[in-house]
Amino acid sequence: MDWQPDEQGLQQVLQLLKDSQSPNTATQRVVQDKLKQLNQFPDFNNYLIFVLTRLKSEDEPTRSLSGLILKNNVKAHYQSFPQPVAEFIKQECLNNIGDASSLIRATIGILITTIASKGELQMWPELLPQLCNLLNSEDYNTCEGAFGALQKICEDSSELLDSDALNRPLNIMIPKFLQFFKHCSPKIRSHAIACVNQFIMDRAQALMDNIDTFIEHLFALAVDEDPEVRKNVCRALVMLLEVRIDRLIPHMHSIIQYMLQRTQDNDENVALEACEFWLTLAEQPICKEVLSSHLVQLIPILVNGMKYSEIDIILLKGDVEEDEAIPDSEQDIKPRFHKSRTVTLQHEEDRTQDDEDGEDEDDDDDTLSDWNLRKCSAAALDVLANVFRDELLPHLLPLLKGLLFHPEWVIKESGILVLGAIAEGKCRCMQGMVPYLPELIPHLIQCLSDKKALVRSIACWTLSRYAHWVVSQPPDMHLKPLMTELLKRILDSNKRVQEAACSAFATLEEEACTELVPYLSFILDTLVFAFGKYQHKNLLILYDAIGTLADSVGHHLNQPCDSNKSAWTLSPMSADPSIPCPYKLAAAEGIAIDVGGEYIQKLMPPLIQKWNELKDEDKDLFPLLECLSSVATALQSGFLPYCEPVYQRCVTLVQKTLAQAMMYNQQPDQYEAPDKDFMIVALDLLSGLAEGLGCHVEQLVARSNIMTLLFQCMQDTMPEVRQSSFALLGDLTKACFMHVKPCIAEFMPILGTNLNPEFISVCNNATWAIGEICMQMGAEMQPYVQMVLNNLVEIINRPNTPKTLLENTAITIGRLGYVCPQEVAPMLQQFIRPWCTSLRNIRDNEEKDSAFRGICMMIGVNPGGVVQDFIFFCDAVASWVSPKDDLRDMFYKILHGFKDQVGEENWQQFSEQFPPLLKERLAAFYGV
């Protein structure tokens, strides 16, 4: 069939296409309405394909637009196209894939792919054979058009092409593509590599069968002059490094030499692809062995790549120094996600440096969120620092000196970034850097007042990476000067610097903790002053800094200012005329700052003001609620004057969200699904209030329906809601059990069913809450023991259970045994060993105390249950630093009872197995 358009209809469609290119909004609305009308006529799509493929007299943009409207129709309604229309469109695409215009060829390629992705690859059996056949055409346009379409199909349907559903067309396609690696046209060569590249990561069998030919052909293209070809060659080698390193190892020296050249390619896209190679190589076990001898070449190349390019500086508005008064554009503000509360225990080692928590955003310039050569080079140096550690320094240090003191700001800035990339934590190059830090840290602190905003902001980030070391030195040496300068930068006139300084200060707070207490007055004045200064985006980061401060100094926030301690902040600050200290800024703007008031009076008014300004459906509530949760926990009873409105609003947020969820579940077509993050954050703040206010929260609970709401939240389908509910239940149990007790019969079965380690954090918080309930219920817990005990014993014996969950499970089993020893003791032998190993590392505290009392009482009921694993019990007892006297007596009796029962000789043999330290501790504390 050769369909022909009606002339009048064709003119109507052409007019519509012309109108749709108009910038006028009213015209656009008319176009949209007209499109809706025309889509009622099935052969409207014939007109669209006719304009695209046959109407060569029209301009290219109009023809291409016709194809794109058709593509959208295919996406939305292809299943309802009449058969003749669908066939006409498919035939026209294949007949015109070699159009003289590259724009039209690309549009037809997109259209073909869209039809194929609608499940049509199976229904269009002639498509792939015909496209592959067209590759052999003498006409360049036909070959290029067919390859463009094939590349899009390979990108969209790679798995399907390697499946039995289509009889594995890849077996024919891969060898065919490989033939074109040597084609005279760079565009065709580039298409050919890009097509094959789609199948590397999935290890498609057809490619694995031809892997040696593929690699050989790639090597032959190493010296190709076309940037697009070079880019695709680099991309292929990076992926092969991940999936077929065995095939690359024999050629690794040459590949590294090639990648060193390409990482310096004049084309930044090629350089970026090549730079990915170092990131991937760093993850391979052979990295150190194959790369050591090349570091001398590689390190200067990576360092050079870390400079801002001219385009970066333009995009970052690097020439704009003062922008604090310019309002933020809303798309600059990343969506925030709340991380639900997980209850953890304190360990012997004071602060564990947990890498998973510190997912460090190597984001010195996160608004330029596109991955670029600077970021990739910095990330590569970071991961290589992890592999080579101090061996990297001989190659870096000579370069660093020249960079850090360079008169050109762009080069100096890149040096500061290098210093940050190799830092942080116990790994990377930290140890080797220590001798240089007493000289480098003061220089970096000096860079905080550089005249270029981009230098000031990167200095903030780099200094935060060395915060751990700074805090380990006497405070007067580096902590005080760093803190003074960072606080000035928090009040910088550049928004990027404000953001970097606030984030860096939050890191410093986490490291320094109570070291900050003498300077709290000055810190709070600065942070509070920033409230009046910051635009939207940085306000959200300021909440984090305040919340982290509260977490770090704890109850010290609930203290009157000590005028002696704050004397340091005032005298030198006032003496230096260049410093925009808050007192001077405040005086200039007519704001009175009460130096002698209480910390709470400084901090709370601006927080409460923001709290009152925000509507219930505003997502800015998330960071503010998180911040208030930390503040409430730290201030304890000091939060009382502010607690009622905060408490009420949280209850309202929970109630509103539950009501919206119910309406949505009943009539999903009429109501929107609620954003449950509002409820989760509110539950977590209620937890913070219960933990901070303790028994003072009782009256608030009495006057609200929180227990009813909590019953619903505990059964929510969303794990994070249940997780936060159980945390709140545990905190309310500790603070005001009289309101929890009447609900226990309803709550316990729900807690029991949530002891499911598939949801680790939910299970963890449910376990902890059960333990807290035990301590309040005492012997009345007896009817509920069997509901939870078997699950708890199963969890403690599971392999690979996370440490936090193991510890909470052990505590709760111990507490169950403490209140109901007769019910739990018969199972003692099933959990005693993992129980003892889980609790040996946690600090002496009330939770540990009650759990060990429970284990002692269970041993009293069932001494046989501990015999086989007695050495583990001995080790757990020895982990106590200072148990209470009556608990020490319990340990003494059990140890001596066991020793008396087995006899002196057997005890001697048994205790020979003890490590020396254990032997010493038991002898010294318990005389065994």
Side-chain angles (χ1 to χ4, degrees):
M1 149 199 157
D2 194 11
W3 177 88
Q4 288 301 322
D6 166 71
E7 191 53 40
Q8 195 184 347
L10 185 60
Q11 289 314 313
Q12 204 180 344
V13 170
L14 284 171
Q15 189 54 51
L16 181 73
L17 292 169
K18 294 270 190 287
D19 291 346
S20 65
Q21 292 171 63
S22 156
N24 184 309
T25 342
T27 313
Q28 284 297 332
R29 264 200 294 275
V30 173
V31 167
Q32 289 308 316
D33 292 342
K34 190 77 180 146
L35 271 174
K36 270 187 193 152
Q37 288 169 24
L38 288 170
N39 269 322
Q40 305 302 310
F41 303 100
D43 73 343
F44 171 52
N45 294 301
N46 283 1
Y47 281 90
L48 292 173
I49 190 77
F50 187 87
V51 174
L52 174 67
T53 57
R54 304 262 189 107
L55 224 54
K56 316 250 188 222
S57 55
E58 278 302 322
D59 61 275
E60 287 179 17
T62 302
R63 290 173 64 198
S64 176
L65 182 62
S66 183
L68 294 174
I69 292 172
L70 176 55
K71 179 208 75 167
N72 291 337
N73 286 351
V74 165
K75 242 181 168 163
H77 320 290
Y78 188 74
Q79 265 65 37
S80 59
F81 280 18
Q83 189 63 23
V85 173
E87 288 306 322
F88 181 60
I89 293 168
K90 293 198 294 199
Q91 204 46 56
E92 283 299 295
C93 284
L94 282 172
N95 290 347
N96 293 279
I97 192 77
D99 194 279
S101 151
S102 61
L103 175 64
I104 302 302
R105 292 198 298 275
T107 309
I108 293 173
I110 291 168
L111 189 49
I112 288 174
T113 318
T114 310
I115 296 171
S117 69
K118 298 302 287 182
E120 281 294 297
L121 262 180
Q122 291 97 315
M123 309 299 288
W124 195 358
E126 69 274 22
L127 173 65
L128 293 172
Q130 262 189 272
L131 286 175
C132 285
N133 208 21
L134 292 172
L135 296 181
N136 301 329
S137 169
E138 294 295 314
D139 175 47
Y140 168 80
N141 291 340
T142 304
C143 177
E144 197 278 325
F147 240 133
L150 280 165
Q151 185 180 329
K152 292 182 184 78
I153 292 170
C154 291
E155 285 167 12
D156 287 0
S157 313
S158 61
E159 279 182 36
L160 194 54
L161 295 174
D162 194 27
S163 70
D164 288 329
L166 293 179
N167 292 327
R168 300 194 182 273
L170 219 50
N171 294 339
I172 296 162
M173 291 164 74
I174 294 277
K176 183 93 179 166
F177 296 152
L178 289 170
Q179 292 169 14
F180 287 86
F181 277 41
K182 295 177 177 166
H183 196 276
C184 58
S185 153
K187 189 89 192 275
I188 303 285
R189 293 198 297 276
S190 180
H191 276 315
I193 311 169
C195 283
V196 179
N197 282 357
Q198 292 304 323
F199 304 98
I200 298 176
M201 294 310 286
D202 291 337
R203 301 168 189 261
Q205 194 52 51
L207 177 56
M208 294 302 121
D209 293 344
N210 290 279
I211 195 80
D212 293 328
T213 315
F214 176 44
I215 291 170
E216 197 182 305
H217 283 29
L218 283 175
F219 288 170
L221 291 173
V223 289
D224 203 285
E225 285 178 17
D226 183 76
E228 200 60 27
V229 172
R230 294 199 302 274
K231 187 179 92 174
N232 281 324
V233 169
C234 290
R235 187 173 290 173
L237 289 169
V238 171
M239 290 191 282
L240 286 167
L241 191 58
E242 235 177 287
V243 300
R244 286 312 299 263
I245 192 167
D246 57 314
R247 284 295 195 265
L248 299 188
I249 286 173
H251 316 283
M252 198 50 91
H253 177 76
S254 320
I255 294 172
I256 288 172
Q257 285 302 321
Y258 174 68
M259 287 300 191
L260 286 167
Q261 286 176 323
R262 292 287 70 81
T263 309
Q264 304 170 81
D265 201 285
N266 293 332
D267 185 298
E268 184 169 333
N269 292 322
V270 178
L272 178 56
E273 284 297 340
C275 195
E276 296 275 358
F277 181 82
W278 314 113
L279 271 176
T280 306
L281 184 58
E283 291 168 4
Q284 306 303 321
I286 61 154
C287 177
K288 210 164 182 177
E289 181 192 332
V290 298
L291 201 53
S292 290
S293 58
H294 301 279
L295 288 178
V296 65
Q297 290 167 281
L298 174 61
I299 298 305
I301 292 170
L302 291 178
V303 167
N304 194 44
M306 287 162 76
K307 288 203 298 278
Y308 276 126
S309 67
E310 283 177 33
I311 189 82
D312 290 343
I313 295 169
I314 293 164
L315 289 170
L316 287 168
K317 304 186 176 70
D319 53 340
V320 179
E321 292 301 320
E322 294 193 14
D323 62 354
E324 64 175 345
I326 302 168
D328 293 338
S329 86
E330 289 308 301
Q331 62 261 37
D332 287 347
I333 298 166
K334 290 180 179 173
R336 289 184 56 98
F337 302 100
H338 174 69
K339 201 170 171 222
S340 307
R341 196 157 183 255
T342 307
V343 185
T344 54
L345 299 168
Q346 290 185 311
H347 289 82
E348 295 295 357
E349 60 276 17
D350 224 320
R351 291 186 68 248
T352 48
Q353 290 255 307
D354 206 347
D355 277 347
E356 289 137 308
D357 283 358
E359 270 304 310
D360 184 76
E361 293 172 25
D362 189 2
D363 243 336
D364 45 284
D365 42 33
D366 63 359
T367 43
L368 183 67
S369 54
D370 295 339
W371 188 236
N372 57 17
L373 185 60
R374 167 186 166 88
K375 288 187 172 188
C376 192
S377 302
L381 188 63
D382 188 333
V383 291
L384 289 170
N386 235 342
V387 174
F388 288 96
R389 313 254 167 125
D390 294 347
E391 292 169 44
L392 223 53
L393 293 178
H395 306 288
L396 262 175
L397 290 171
L399 299 172
L400 263 174
K401 206 157 180 77
L403 298 172
L404 288 169
F405 298 92
H406 202 279
E408 255 185 82
W409 76 265
V410 176
I411 295 174
K412 177 177 173 179
E413 194 277 348
S414 73
I416 300 172
L417 173 59
V418 168
L419 207 51
I422 60 170
E424 223 209 13
K426 299 184 181 78
C427 48
R428 298 187 176 85
C429 307
M430 197 58 198
Q431 279 321 102
M433 285 304 295
V434 166
Y436 306 98
L437 292 181
E439 186 188 344
L440 281 173
I441 296 296
H443 175 66
L444 286 173
I445 292 173
Q446 223 177 328
C447 292
L448 288 173
S449 46
D450 193 276
K451 62 178 191 292
K452 288 302 288 184
L454 288 173
V455 174
R456 299 199 296 278
S457 71
I458 196 66
C460 291
W461 177 77
T462 293
L463 279 159
S464 74
R465 306 266 287 185
Y466 289 95
H468 187 69
W469 181 84
V470 166
V471 170
S472 71
Q473 307 301 300
D476 285 8
M477 279 178 74
H478 303 294
L479 179 61
K480 263 192 204 176
L482 172 58
M483 193 164 50
T484 310
E485 290 304 313
L486 267 183
L487 288 170
K488 283 192 239 167
R489 291 294 65 84
I490 283 174
L491 302 178
D492 201 276
S493 56
N494 180 277
K495 291 194 287 189
R496 169 179 300 284
V497 179
Q498 293 171 359
E499 176 185 359
C502 245
S503 300
F505 197 73
T507 305
L508 187 65
E509 289 168 342
E510 286 177 328
E511 291 290 350
C513 292
T514 49
E515 296 270 343
L516 299 178
V517 172
Y519 321 116
L520 263 176
S521 184
F522 184 57
I523 292 169
L524 286 171
D525 287 335
T526 307
L527 296 179
V528 166
F529 194 81
F531 264 107
K533 203 173 166 63
Y534 278 13
Q535 297 291 342
H536 185 185
K537 181 184 178 189
N538 287 350
L539 208 50
L540 306 184
I541 294 157
L542 182 62
Y543 295 143
D544 279 348
I546 291 172
T548 308
L549 179 69
D551 292 338
S552 302
V553 300
H555 64 91
H556 296 283
L557 209 50
N558 186 18
Q559 312 261 328
C561 298
D562 180 336
S563 52
N564 297 328
K565 282 184 177 170
S566 51
W568 164 76
T569 59
L570 289 171
S571 49
M573 292 306 278
S574 330
D576 181 347
S578 73
I579 292 172
C581 88
Y583 305 106
K584 291 181 190 167
L585 289 166
E589 297 185 24
I591 300 168
I593 287 187
D594 171 19
V595 180
E598 298 209 333
Y599 298 147
I600 297 172
Q601 286 164 358
K602 289 175 186 287
L603 180 59
M604 288 309 297
L607 288 174
I608 294 297
Q609 187 189 338
K610 293 293 173 196
W611 168 264
N612 290 331
E613 286 169 12
L614 292 174
K615 295 188 170 67
D616 279 354
E617 42 288 335
D618 193 326
K619 290 198 175 178
D620 284 5
L621 269 179
F622 295 171
L624 178 55
L625 284 161
E626 286 169 11
C627 171
L628 279 171
S629 181
S630 297
V631 169
T633 308
L635 289 182
Q636 298 173 351
S637 59
F639 198 78
L640 274 171
Y642 310 96
C643 66
E644 186 137 7
V646 173
Y647 180 90
Q648 287 307 340
R649 187 168 195 179
C650 288
V651 172
T652 305
L653 281 169
V654 174
Q655 200 158 340
K656 272 188 175 176
T657 313
L658 286 170
Q660 205 181 330
M662 189 187 277
M663 292 191 302
Y664 171 73
N665 290 336
Q666 287 166 357
Q667 294 169 292
D669 45 343
Q670 300 214 354
Y671 294 98
E672 274 187 34
D675 182 343
K676 289 187 181 175
D677 268 358
F678 285 101
M679 175 156 74
I680 295 165
V681 184
L683 289 166
D684 285 348
L685 177 45
L686 288 169
S687 273
L689 288 174
E691 189 182 339
L693 299 175
C695 59
H696 298 295
V697 84
E698 187 273 318
Q699 291 174 323
L700 296 169
V701 174
R703 293 198 297 271
S704 72
N705 61 340
I706 188 64
M707 298 317 296
T708 313
L709 298 174
L710 195 52
F711 180 63
Q712 290 173 261
C713 293
M714 285 165 60
Q715 299 173 82
D716 198 273
T717 51
M718 190 175 179
E720 291 80 1
V721 175
R722 301 200 302 277
Q723 178 183 334
S724 293
S725 310
F726 297 140
L728 175 56
L729 175 61
D731 283 319
L732 290 175
T733 298
K734 289 171 84 169
C736 54
F737 188 62
M738 66 190 75
H739 296 298
V740 176
K741 193 172 181 182
C743 312
I744 290 297
E746 289 176 300
F747 283 7
M748 281 309 296
I750 300 172
L751 285 164
T753 52
N754 278 279
L755 296 176
N756 170 11
E758 197 182 323
F759 300 101
I760 295 291
S761 300
V762 179
C763 182
N764 180 70
N765 288 7
T767 303
W768 174 75
I770 293 166
E772 291 301 334
I773 290 167
C774 281
M775 296 312 290
Q776 301 290 342
M777 291 283 281
E780 291 178 66
M781 191 71 188
Q782 194 248 328
Y784 307 108
V785 172
Q786 293 315 317
M787 257 181 218
V788 297
L789 184 60
N790 288 334
N791 285 350
L792 292 169
V793 172
E794 199 176 311
I795 291 165
I796 206 167
N797 282 296
R798 270 176 98 239
N800 306 323
T801 302
K803 186 167 72 170
T804 302
L805 179 54
L806 276 180
E807 291 165 353
N808 273 322
T809 306
I811 295 277
T812 297
I813 291 174
R815 288 178 151 189
L816 273 171
Y818 178 55
V819 296
C820 301
Q822 299 293 341
E823 283 70 25
V824 185
M827 293 186 78
L828 186 58
Q829 195 174 342
Q830 293 180 41
F831 60 75
I832 185 70
R833 182 188 287 202
W835 190 95
C836 291
T837 52
S838 301
L839 293 187
R840 66 186 305 282
N841 289 323
I842 68 164
R843 282 198 214 158
D844 295 6
N845 60 22
E846 287 304 317
E847 293 175 310
K848 185 173 176 176
D849 179 276
S850 55
F852 270 83
R853 287 172 192 275
I855 219 76
C856 291
M857 292 171 77
M858 288 187 273
I859 291 172
V861 173
N862 177 17
V866 75
V867 171
Q868 280 182 318
D869 297 301
F870 199 69
I871 188 168
F872 292 96
F873 176 73
C874 295
D875 178 55
V877 166
S879 76
W880 277 88
V881 179
S882 50
K884 291 178 183 164
D885 290 345
D886 58 337
L887 181 60
R888 189 190 292 265
D889 283 347
M890 292 167 103
F891 293 157
Y892 184 92
K893 282 179 182 145
I894 292 171
L895 292 168
H896 279 273
F898 186 84
K899 183 180 175 181
D900 295 345
Q901 199 158 5
V902 298
E904 188 65 42
E905 196 177 323
N906 286 335
W907 176 263
Q908 284 308 324
Q909 281 180 329
F910 173 66
S911 60
E912 285 306 313
Q913 307 166 47
F914 292 177
L917 190 64
L918 175 56
K919 210 171 188 174
E920 272 170 46
R921 286 185 76 106
L922 289 178
F925 286 101
Y926 302 101
V928 289

